[in-house]
Amino acid sequence: MDYKIHKTNKYTDERGDLVVFLKRNDLPGIENEFGQIYFVTFTDKGVVRGNHYHKKWREWFGVVQGKLQVALKDIKTGEMIELVLDGNKHLYTRLEIGPNIVHAFKSITKNASLLNYANSPWSSEDTFKEIILT
C-alpha cells in the first residue's frame, strides 16, 4: 500500500506550537511544482470526511487540532489499514498517501482540523467515492 508516516518535531512554547508541515525537499522529483493546500474542519465527534480516492493525486495530511481515526484502502490490492493521527502529540505526524488509496477520516474528539497538501489542483474527474468508514 502506498502510504508513509513521517514524524517531525513540534516546537512548543507559551505562545503555542510551530510545526514545519512540508518542505520542497519532502516532495519527490516532478512533484516539486506547487499543487494546492487546504484544510478541513470537523465540528463534532464522529464526523466523517473523505471516503474517496484519486487516480493521480499524491497527498500529505496532518492533524492541526484534535484526533482523527484514519482508514486507508489500496484499490488495487484491497489491503486496508486503520491508524490514529493526534494533533496533540509531542512529535508531529504527517501521513503521505499515493494514488489509488481510499482515505477517510473520522473525528474522535469534539473539534478537529486537518491540513492537506496535494500535488495538483483538485478535479472532480479525479475523485472517486468509496465508503470505507462510517
Side-chain angles (χ1 to χ4, degrees), residues 1-2 5 11 18 20-21 29 31-32 34-35 38 46 57 69 71 89 91 94 97 102 108 114 117 121 123 134:
M1 182 180 306
D2 187 2
I5 298 289
Y11 303 96
L18 182 144
V20 177
F21 177 67
E31 294 168 13
N32 278 331
F34 185 76
Y38 65 91
W57 265 20
Q69 174 187 355
K89 292 273 187 183
L91 279 178
R94 184 180 71 229
I97 66 167
V102 181
I108 52 180
L114 179 67
Y117 171 76
S123 165
T134 56

Side-chain angles (χ1 to χ4, degrees), residues 56 58 62 74:
K56 298 178 183 174
R58 177 163 292 276
D74 189 310

Side-chain angles (χ1 to χ4, degrees), residues 56-88:
K56 298 178 183 174
W57 265 20
R58 177 163 292 276
E59 297 180 273
W60 290 259
F61 297 96
V63 175
V64 176
Q65 172 191 9
K67 211 184 273 193
L68 297 174
Q69 174 187 355
V70 182
L72 303 174
K73 178 183 175 186
D74 189 310
I75 289 299
K76 294 178 179 179
T77 68
E79 180 184 0
M80 289 191 67
I81 188 170
E82 287 195 14
L83 52 109
V84 173
L85 294 179
D86 186 348
N88 300 320

